Amino acid sequence: MLPPRALSFQHRAEVDQLRAAVDGGGTAVLTQVLTGAGGVGKTQLAADYARTALDSGEVDVLVWISASSRSAITAGYAQAGVEVLAADPRDPEQAARAFLAFLEPKAGQKPCRWLVVLDDVADPADIRGWWPPASRHGRALVTTRRREAALTGAGRRRVTVGLFTPQEAVAYFSAVLAAHDRHEPTDHIDSLAADLGYLPLALAQAAAYIIDADLICVSYRELLADRIRKLADLLPEPGALPDDQTATVAATWALSTEHANKIRPVGLARPMLHLAALLDPNGIPATVFTMQPALAYLTEHRTPTSTGGTHPSAPVVSAEDAVLALRALHRLSLIDYSPTIPHQAVRVHQLIQRATRDTLTADQHDQLACAAADALTAAWPTIERDTALARALRANATALTRAAEDALYRPAAHRVLFRTGHSLGQAGHVTAATAHFHRLTEVTARHFGPNHPYSLAARNNLARSRGEAGDAAGAAAACEELLTDVVRVLGSDHPDTLNTRHNSAYWRGEAGDATGAAAAFEDLLADRIRVLGPDHPDTLNARHNSAYWRGEAGDAAGAAEAFAGLLADRMRVQGPDHPATLAARSSLARSRGQAGDAAGAAAAFEDLLADRIRVLGPDHPDTLNARHNLVGCRGEAGDAAGAAAAFEDLLADRIRVLGPDHPDTLNARHDLARWRRAAGGAPGAVAAFEELLADRIRVQGLEHPHTLKTRHDVAYSRGVAGDAAGAAAALEELLPDEVRVLGPDHPDTLSTRHNIAYWRGEAGDAAGAAEAFAGLLADRMRVQGPDHPATLTARHELARWRSKANVDESTD
């Protein structure tokens, strides 16, 4: 008895695969095994294949057996033996064996063309000894959720049945609705199909529910998105299932889970599926499931008994046990486990996740969420050398946060919430990091109140993200506002208070007040030494930033001297390979370059690069930054062409590792264009900067400081290419935006004024240039001091253009 054809049955590529394996005469020696998760439509595909073979006259005997157990297989063969061979029905085993013997090809007899379908084999052991014989006149087809090696090999061919394609899903759903005089917009159907993960059985049952409840796709999607409702509540009742189906998708997977839980290591498949149910369906790193928190959860929730209770003598679960549990779920097609893709080794259908979560009580759900968060945090490396792994961990943290709801805030805000935002910032996704910490600030305030340390920490991270996204002044203001609350709640000497002062000083400097930042760090350093001691990492960090802003304020030699002293203490306290020690070496080299020793800086960066490759790996962002600095030093030392060539190589690696839109990638494009311009390629530089500007605007926005800087370089390159008047005009158009966004005293604003004056003079207005440089010099003196290199340059240009203006006047 073939299953009835499903309403609006869809022809699928798997049918073509089945038929393509049979030659034109239908006489191939062939056993095919259709494997796939419950609900993908294996039975319907097998029935279509069998019905086509029968209707076309390709077979003389067709046997369809519902093979969910060994006894069912035996009974099916026995019935065939009775009906075809008139075997004795009182001995089913003998009748079954007789029928299999009948299928064997026999010399001198007219061949019998046969097809045997064993549908829904639940256990490979059930079919042992009952495989149809090899015959050039016969074919066998098996459907199963299992993926053991015992089902394939020895002339058997596996055909994996997947989900509907989006087009197949829309066509199917539209046809089912049309059969009931219902019609919906295609985009609504497509969205619903995506929500259901393009699973054929889920689409069939959802369509039946929609029709019976007189709903529309949009309203059903709203019900589906309601986390309070269980999946089973949004499917037809057993008596109303379409196409003579006998179980809902949820019940189908529950049975598969029960089978998987009986596979060694017994009792681990179910709790392992629980963990996977809260993470990213598109790929979970394998290491998450072998971390100690995951193993502890599996040990506590192992259920080897049929009653589901925890076995009192269950041993501690090992990493090897965890991997075997993943393989058990894979064997039942509940997950896809691909260890060769370690960062996305485990994939699980979103509805299997939903159905699995529905089986949990509220307490079980909260305990599971914390275990999954602990496992993610444990798998998250402190230094994100592998950017692909970091992306996967962020995707899983996002999925967990969505599925866990408030569980990650009870009793405390889980570390994974902050780790996700930090990782976004480290990867350069500063806008996403800002949005993440904005949400975290709101949620922590709601859960714990605005003055709780978690809420203050979220605000602190939000301020930093704002600064990294380009709003340094806003970040500084937010830190100042936060500092008042932190002092009131925690006291002036609390480490978090000192950290807030640190961030406030840093963003004050980034907003343009390098002198003020250096002074603030000096004050902070004294308090950190008093409270934490001279060798505490936070104290060393304050020394680092004090030296940095001292250099930015114009004292490059003093900064280099300070960094040299800091480096010695970093080496003593933290060791030569600590990231902070390597950062001190980088800053020391940079300061030497600013002090005029370009060759020495280049040599230092070359040594640093070798150590960063050894410690962090060649693709770590800090390693790429060392390459960036090294190439820049070579350019500053006079090799502009060599710098441009090296930046081309660096850019390729930036794109490969970080992607085309990462801020560091955009910065590499910026410096590549700069050194090409310095090497004599000004026209090409204009085009390169214009292309970069379009991407800066798209990725970072119109008012990001880097976007404004690229506008500056577009204009400046026009001047270098010969259009001095056009350069001056473009810079004059830029200046009001920089004043508004950065402030009138920001170094970038002052640099734009410098170049306006310069290109105005180059365009023929020497007197106007001299007048502009006079005004600029006064502001440089006030803001940066008389000895700052930029102030000295302004004095030089003022004298030059005054002299030129006088010469021009005398010539006139």
Side-chain angles (χ1 to χ4, degrees), residues 163-174:
L163 305 167
F164 273 153
T165 66
Q167 295 77 16
E168 289 170 344
V170 170
Y172 169 79
F173 208 89
S174 299

Side-chain angles (χ1 to χ4, degrees), residues 4 9 17 28 44 48 51 65 117 137 172 208 214 280 294 309 372 384 392 482 579 646 668 672 719-720:
F9 174 82
Q17 292 181 47
Q44 278 295 318
D48 177 75
R51 190 175 291 109
I65 298 175
V117 181
H137 303 299
Y172 169 79
D214 195 25
D280 183 17
E384 295 183 355
L482 173 64
L672 172 58
V720 176

Side-chain angles (χ1 to χ4, degrees), residues 394-443:
R394 289 195 299 271
N396 277 273
T398 299
L400 172 62
T401 302
R402 187 165 49 245
E405 297 177 329
D406 291 341
L408 297 183
Y409 296 90
R410 293 193 293 265
H414 199 282
R415 287 181 300 160
V416 78
L417 299 167
F418 291 91
R419 189 70 185 86
T420 303
H422 295 157
S423 180
L424 285 167
Q426 290 175 26
H429 305 304
V430 290
T431 301
T434 301
H436 176 86
F437 282 118
H438 188 273
R439 288 192 300 272
L440 189 59
T441 298
E442 292 179 338
V443 178

Side-chain angles (χ1 to χ4, degrees), residues 83-160:
E83 295 188 14
V84 176
L85 304 176
D88 185 352
R90 293 173 296 178
D91 190 347
E93 180 83 13
Q94 182 59 34
R97 295 294 175 191
F99 181 73
L100 282 181
F102 164 74
L103 298 181
E104 292 277 2
K106 298 173 181 63
Q109 291 187 5
K110 180 181 178 180
C112 174
R113 301 169 303 165
W114 52 264
L115 170 61
V116 174
V117 181
L118 298 167
D119 182 44
D120 196 22
V121 172
D123 190 331
D126 292 343
I127 201 174
R128 187 180 300 120
W130 291 117
W131 286 96
S135 170
R136 64 190 183 90
H137 303 299
R139 289 179 250 166
L141 184 61
V142 173
T143 73
T144 181
R145 300 171 207 174
R146 305 293 288 257
R147 295 196 271 204
E148 280 87 345
L151 291 169
T152 54
R156 302 169 196 145
R157 174 176 176 266
R158 173 183 287 152
V159 177
T160 300

Side-chain angles (χ1 to χ4, degrees), residues 777-797:
L777 178 59
D779 288 332
R780 290 276 198 199
M781 294 277 285
R782 175 179 54 81
V783 174
Q784 296 171 303
D787 295 330
H788 193 282
T791 305
L792 300 177
T793 300
R795 287 177 60 188
H796 173 83
E797 290 294 326

Side-chain angles (χ1 to χ4, degrees), residues 124-400:
D126 292 343
I127 201 174
R128 187 180 300 120
W130 291 117
W131 286 96
S135 170
R136 64 190 183 90
H137 303 299
R139 289 179 250 166
L141 184 61
V142 173
T143 73
T144 181
R145 300 171 207 174
R146 305 293 288 257
R147 295 196 271 204
E148 280 87 345
L151 291 169
T152 54
R156 302 169 196 145
R157 174 176 176 266
R158 173 183 287 152
V159 177
T160 300
V161 182
L163 305 167
F164 273 153
T165 66
Q167 295 77 16
E168 289 170 344
V170 170
Y172 169 79
F173 208 89
S174 299
V176 173
L177 293 179
H180 293 84
D181 296 324
R182 297 279 300 273
H183 302 279
E184 295 254 8
T186 299
D187 59 330
H188 291 188
I189 295 174
D190 185 49
S191 297
L192 175 57
D195 290 347
L196 295 171
Y198 304 108
L199 185 74
L201 186 62
L203 287 163
Q205 295 182 358
Y209 187 97
I210 286 172
I211 292 166
D212 290 342
D214 195 25
L215 298 175
I216 59 175
C217 290
V218 172
S219 56
Y220 186 83
R221 290 186 67 206
E222 292 174 353
L223 295 176
L224 195 63
D226 185 353
R227 299 180 185 277
I228 297 178
R229 297 177 185 271
K230 294 187 175 182
L231 179 62
D233 297 333
L234 301 177
L235 301 173
E237 296 180 1
L241 292 171
D243 301 323
D244 290 340
Q245 296 165 8
T246 58
T248 64
V249 287
T252 297
W253 293 323
L255 181 60
S256 294
T257 304
E258 186 66 30
H259 283 305
N261 218 40
K262 295 176 183 177
I263 297 175
R264 291 181 297 179
V266 177
L268 292 186
R270 180 179 286 111
M272 180 62 81
L273 187 59
H274 290 170
L275 285 171
L278 265 65
L279 299 172
D280 183 17
N282 299 309
I284 308 166
T287 53
V288 172
F289 299 103
T290 57
M291 291 291 108
Q292 194 281 328
L295 300 180
Y297 179 84
L298 294 173
T299 299
E300 182 179 355
H301 294 85
R302 188 171 195 161
T303 55
T305 64
S306 58
T307 60
T310 302
H311 197 285
S313 60
V316 174
V317 174
S318 66
E320 181 182 1
D321 293 332
V323 171
L324 291 174
L326 291 172
R327 293 191 180 279
L329 292 169
H330 176 82
R331 287 162 65 180
L332 267 296
S333 298
L334 286 163
I335 67 170
D336 287 317
Y337 177 51
S338 305
T340 57
I341 314 174
H343 301 335
Q344 294 179 303
V346 177
R347 297 174 184 265
V348 54
H349 194 279
Q350 63 206 52
L351 289 188
I352 295 180
Q353 291 182 310
R354 174 78 174 266
T356 301
R357 294 195 299 266
D358 286 348
T359 66
L360 303 170
T361 66
D363 288 343
Q364 289 172 335
H365 175 274
D366 288 359
Q367 184 181 6
L368 173 63
C370 290
D374 288 342
L376 267 182
T377 304
W380 217 313
T382 302
I383 300 174
E384 295 183 355
R385 295 184 178 91
D386 189 334
T387 55
L389 174 61
R391 281 195 300 270
L393 290 170
R394 289 195 299 271
N396 277 273
T398 299
L400 172 62

